[in-house]
Amino acid sequence: ASRAVFRRPVVPSLRVNAAATERSYVMVKPDGVQRGLVGEIITRFERKGFQLVGLKMFQTPKSLAEEHYGELKEKPFYGKLVDYIVSGPVVCIALEGPGVVASARKLIGVTNPLNAEPGTIRGDFGIEVGRNVVHGSDSPENGLREIGLWFDQDEIVEWEQHMTPWLKE
Ligand code: ADP
């Protein structure tokens, strides 16, 4: 059966800087999914004011986990990290907004949940670096690269968010 695709037309006047808008790849890791934290995590980014432009559940192939964490190949924990990421489904999230990469990292908290501030996702929901619940891109360049890795082009939805005038001057 073919998949029906419904797409709202983009309103150009409200998407002036669409191409220049920053994006971050955020992912609920397998522990976050298994622990029932998906809604909680998406809610934190939504209510902050960032716009969801991609969202799906996904069972990660090993090759993709290896590519995503390619920069960490030489780290002693690399093998365990790849096993962790493929150990169950993840939820892939593409977020858009000014400064979204750095802001999402702040909302997520530092890598080791024991050191992460209360109020951050890792600070509130984790105790070990190898089970830190969520991923967030570390630079705008990596945001675009990672969204390209995890999403097909037609899975990214450009849409007009009606609350925008209440978030941005
Ligand atoms: P971050 O995800 O905060 O950007 P890194 O890019 O340094 O952190 O590491 C990627 C992921 O690798 C971490 O989120 C964590 O899941 C895992 N990791 C990092 N350091 C360790 C470690 N010392 N032991 C086990 N896993 C680790």
Side-chain angles (χ1 to χ4, degrees):
S2 70
R3 192 167 56 151
V5 177
F6 300 97
R7 201 157 295 140
R8 273 181 68 88
V10 175
V11 180
S13 62
L14 294 179
R15 299 283 310 176
V16 181
N17 287 318
T21 305
E22 191 171 308
R23 288 178 174 173
S24 180
Y25 177 65
V26 169
M27 175 167 74
V28 185
K29 294 178 175 179
D31 50 333
V33 174
Q34 294 288 354
R35 292 176 54 202
L37 297 173
V38 172
E40 168 78 35
I41 290 168
I42 293 172
T43 295
R44 291 185 179 213
F45 297 106
E46 259 192 316
R47 69 185 185 191
K48 171 72 176 166
F50 293 121
Q51 187 175 352
L52 281 166
V53 293
L55 183 64
K56 68 175 176 184
M57 190 165 218
F58 192 63
Q59 177 58 56
T60 311
K62 192 167 186 187
S63 57
L64 177 55
E66 288 170 343
E67 192 171 356
H68 176 80
Y69 283 121
E71 282 174 12
L72 301 178
K73 214 175 186 120
E74 306 306 323
K75 300 282 184 189
F77 56 82
Y78 177 74
K80 271 195 336 187
L81 173 59
V82 169
D83 289 345
Y84 161 47
I85 295 303
V86 304
S87 66
V90 297
V91 170
C92 308
I93 304 166
L95 289 178
E96 181 177 293
V100 63
V101 168
S103 180
R105 299 271 294 183
K106 278 191 186 169
L107 292 171
I108 288 168
V110 297
T111 307
N112 186 338
L114 276 188
N115 299 330
E117 293 294 325
T120 64
I121 295 168
R122 287 170 175 167
D124 286 350
F125 298 118
I127 51 172
E128 278 196 10
V129 70
R131 295 287 183 270
N132 63 0
V133 182
V134 65
H135 166 82
S137 304
D138 64 4
S139 69
E141 298 70 39
N142 273 337
L144 295 181
R145 181 183 75 87
E146 292 171 1
I147 287 171
L149 271 182
W150 290 85
F151 286 97
D152 290 335
Q153 217 164 3
D154 68 357
E155 291 175 323
I156 298 299
V157 182
E158 308 233 334
W159 58 292
E160 171 201 336
Q161 192 174 36
H162 287 265
M163 70 177 180
T164 298
W166 303 102
L167 280 163
K168 299 179 194 162
E169 285 189 282

